[in-house]
């Protein structure tokens, strides 16, 4: 999707009957507003919000790679494309003559990106992996949650998302390398390695100091105060990452002498005496409403913010000012809202024109004809042999 945002033509290959699994991950579903011809197409209750969130700017083709004609189509596409991204268990595509070693023979410039649970090598290489499993297995759940509570998953599929971001960066680097070498390469990305890498300073504390991690809730093990505080009607997150910011906090809440208290002069002091410091701050902040606390901290130079729900997030004046939410017209769903690209470019209008997520197999005939040069008869032959499917939308 990120490559599509940058202008790449993305061809999404889906199973003719099931399609992408995320199409069924609901509710909620966005129901079809305009009549949809389902004489041949699988029937879905609508398009899932999950599917719609990650499939803009793509074309969908319905191909059965278990059929010889389907595999032939994919091989021909690989011969013409710059990038292939797949997430099968290692070795599965190679059994169909669609592995990296097979396809680099027909296109030496192909950048072939494999995303798996555990990577292409090692004793766990053949295990399937989901985000929540890797969050558990690679340490993230162990450090997430309240101190006296059980391990919990992060609210979004952060391991999946970060693996996609790492893979996006790797693909861009491989394309730059190809400009110098003339050859593509195989990118081996995994959820396990991604999750281990984003343990960041927590991993370093263990590797360097032998310090086993634990759950801290919203607190930070090495900085204080750096956490969520309850107010009369909600919560506010405050982070004082240095002595100047801590002094600003003390001044803002009317307790300037707190910054001079020998227990709290340095960050190390504040971490050592965290319990006493937090009790003092909680005693002040919990007696005020969220708006009152925000007013006190405004213009203090201190990083702070309310804990917002989703309605408050999308009503946030900065979110609105930055045009984060885009509305796209879907031919069968009507207008749909989605979060647009996360990065703005000074010289490129990224996100100005967004294509809606495709229906299953919506572009099969278009891709076969325009990309591969198939005639109408060749397209029909592919359909008759079961390698491709056409739907009348």
């Amino acid at each position: 999707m990120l490559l599509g945002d940058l202008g790449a033509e993305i061809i999404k290959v889906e199973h003719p009957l099931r399609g992408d699994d995320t199409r069924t991950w609901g509710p909620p579903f966005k129901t079809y507003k305009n009549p949809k011809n389902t004489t041949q197409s699988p029937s879905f209750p609508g398009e899932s919000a999950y599917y719609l969130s990650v499939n803009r700017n793509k074309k969908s083709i319905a191909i059965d790679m278990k059929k010889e004609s389907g595999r032939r189509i994919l091989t021909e596409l690989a011969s013409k494309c710059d990038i292939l991204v797949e997430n099968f268990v290692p070795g599965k595509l190679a059994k169909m003559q669609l592995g990296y070693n097979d396809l680099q023979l027909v296109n030496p410039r192909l950048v072939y990106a494999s995303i798996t649970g555990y990577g292409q090598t090692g004793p766990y290489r053949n295990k399937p992996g989901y985000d929540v499993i890797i969050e558990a297995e690679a340490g993230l759940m162990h450090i997430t949650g309240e101190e006296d509570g059980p391990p919990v998953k992060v609210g979004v599929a952060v391991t999946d998302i970060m693996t996609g971001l790492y893979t996006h960066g790797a693909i861009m680097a491989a394309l730059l390398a190809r400009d110098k070498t003339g050859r593509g390469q195989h990118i081996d990305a995994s959820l396990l390695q991604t999750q281990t890498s984003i343990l960041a300073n927590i991993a370093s504390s263990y590797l360097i100091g032998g310090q086993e991690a634990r759950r801290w809730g919203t607190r930070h093990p090495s900085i204080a105060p750096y956490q969520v505080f309850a107010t009369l009607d909600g919560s506010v997150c405050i982070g004082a990452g240095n002595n100047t910011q801590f002094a600003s906090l003390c001044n803002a809440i009317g307790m300037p002498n707190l910054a001079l208290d020998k227990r709290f002069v340095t960050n190390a002091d504040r971490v050592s005496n965290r319990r006493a410091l937090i009790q003092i701050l909680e005693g002040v902040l919990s007696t005020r409403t969220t708006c009152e606390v925000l007013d006190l901290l405004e213009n203090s130079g201190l990083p702070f913010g309310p804990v917002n729900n989703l309605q408050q997030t999308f009503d946030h004046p900065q979110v609105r000012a930055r045009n984060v939410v885009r509305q796209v017209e879907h031919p069968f769903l009507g207008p749909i809202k989605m979060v647009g690209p996360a990065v703005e470019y000074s010289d490129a209008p990224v996100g100005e024109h967004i294509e809606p997520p495709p229906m299953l197999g919506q572009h099969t005939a278009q891709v076969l004809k325009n990309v591969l040069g198939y005639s109408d008869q060749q397209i029909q032959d592919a359909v008759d042999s079961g390698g491709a499917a056409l739907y009348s939308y």
Side-chain angles (χ1 to χ4, degrees):
M1 185 178 76
L2 299 179
L3 294 171
D5 287 342
L6 296 177
E9 180 181 9
I10 307 299
I11 300 171
K12 180 182 180 70
V13 180
E14 300 191 68
H15 188 278
L17 295 179
R18 298 188 301 273
D20 183 338
D21 284 345
T22 65
R23 290 182 181 273
T24 65
W25 286 6
F29 293 93
K30 179 75 171 177
T31 56
Y32 296 115
K33 178 179 180 181
N34 300 323
K36 181 173 78 75
N37 186 335
T38 58
T39 55
Q40 293 177 302
S41 171
S43 179
F44 295 106
E47 299 290 358
S48 75
Y50 199 115
Y51 170 80
L52 293 173
S53 73
V54 291
N55 281 287
R56 63 175 180 260
N57 294 328
K58 298 179 184 179
K59 294 181 172 70
S60 171
I61 61 174
I63 303 294
D64 188 345
M65 65 179 62
K66 292 184 178 180
K67 303 291 185 180
E68 181 180 351
S69 57
R71 294 193 296 274
R72 183 164 55 250
I73 288 170
L74 297 181
T75 301
E76 292 174 4
L77 281 172
S79 72
K80 295 180 177 295
C81 290
D82 294 292
I83 305 158
L84 183 149
V85 180
E86 60 89 10
N87 66 340
F88 287 91
V89 171
K92 184 168 185 178
L93 288 184
K95 292 179 181 178
M96 301 181 185
Q97 291 75 53
L98 295 171
Y100 172 69
N101 291 332
D102 304 297
L103 297 184
Q104 61 93 24
L105 294 176
V106 300
N107 183 2
R109 293 175 58 81
L110 181 68
V111 174
Y112 189 113
S114 296
I115 301 175
T116 60
Y118 297 87
Q120 298 292 310
T121 60
Y124 282 36
R125 64 186 295 269
N126 291 320
K127 285 189 64 176
Y130 274 145
D131 173 277
V132 67
I133 307 302
I134 304 301
E135 282 193 41
E137 198 164 7
L140 184 58
M141 279 194 192
H142 176 71
I143 62 173
T144 305
E146 292 300 323
E147 183 177 7
D148 56 353
V152 298
K153 70 181 289 293
V154 178
V156 297
V158 63
T159 307
D160 279 349
I161 293 169
M162 288 301 303
T163 304
L165 291 172
Y166 273 135
T167 305
H168 171 255
I171 288 170
M172 301 298 278
L175 291 174
L176 289 173
R178 189 181 72 174
D179 285 343
K180 298 179 179 179
T181 67
R183 296 189 61 82
Q185 56 186 297
H186 189 192
I187 293 168
D188 177 6
S190 72
L191 301 182
L192 182 74
Q193 210 158 335
T194 292
Q195 180 49 62
T196 304
S197 74
I198 64 174
L199 290 173
N201 61 296
I202 304 298
S204 185
S205 293
Y206 174 77
L207 295 173
I208 301 301
Q211 179 179 324
E212 181 57 76
R214 63 185 180 89
R215 291 180 287 284
W216 287 89
T218 64
R219 293 176 295 158
H220 194 289
S222 306
I223 308 172
Y226 197 93
Q227 66 180 78
V228 168
F229 292 90
T231 65
L232 279 176
D233 59 354
S235 301
V236 173
C237 191
I238 297 173
N242 57 49
N243 296 336
T244 300
Q245 291 177 346
F246 179 64
S248 297
L249 171 61
C250 297
N251 289 330
I253 63 175
M255 301 183 68
N257 289 334
L258 191 62
L260 304 177
D261 189 312
K262 63 181 181 180
R263 296 174 297 171
F264 311 132
V265 172
T266 69
N267 179 68
D269 295 331
R270 294 189 289 275
V271 170
S272 297
N273 297 287
R274 184 198 305 268
R275 187 179 299 276
L277 174 60
I278 299 307
Q279 285 179 345
I280 293 170
L281 295 177
E282 286 177 337
V284 175
L285 300 174
S286 64
T287 63
R288 292 172 167 84
T289 67
T290 297
C291 285
E292 289 171 341
V293 172
L294 298 179
D295 286 342
L296 285 175
L297 300 179
E298 191 66 34
N299 299 319
S300 66
L302 180 75
F304 69 93
V307 177
N308 286 334
N309 60 26
L310 289 191
Q311 180 178 345
Q312 293 166 326
T313 296
F314 288 112
D315 284 341
H316 194 293
Q318 188 69 6
V319 171
R320 289 180 175 273
R322 296 282 292 178
N323 194 29
V324 172
V325 177
R326 311 294 174 84
Q327 183 163 296
V328 179
E329 188 67 27
H330 192 288
F332 301 101
L333 302 174
I336 57 174
K337 292 181 179 180
M338 61 180 62
V339 177
V343 178
E344 303 286 344
Y345 295 79
S346 64
D347 294 337
V350 173
E352 281 192 4
H353 179 70
I354 296 176
E355 290 293 329
M359 303 286 282
L360 172 59
Q362 181 179 342
H363 304 96
T364 304
Q366 176 186 330
V367 169
L368 294 181
K369 182 175 292 187
N370 296 343
V371 178
L372 298 184
Y374 274 34
S375 66
D376 290 341
Q377 185 57 55
Q378 287 176 303
I379 294 174
Q380 190 58 53
D381 290 343
V383 172
D384 291 342
S385 65
L390 298 180
Y391 307 123
S392 176
Y393 290 114

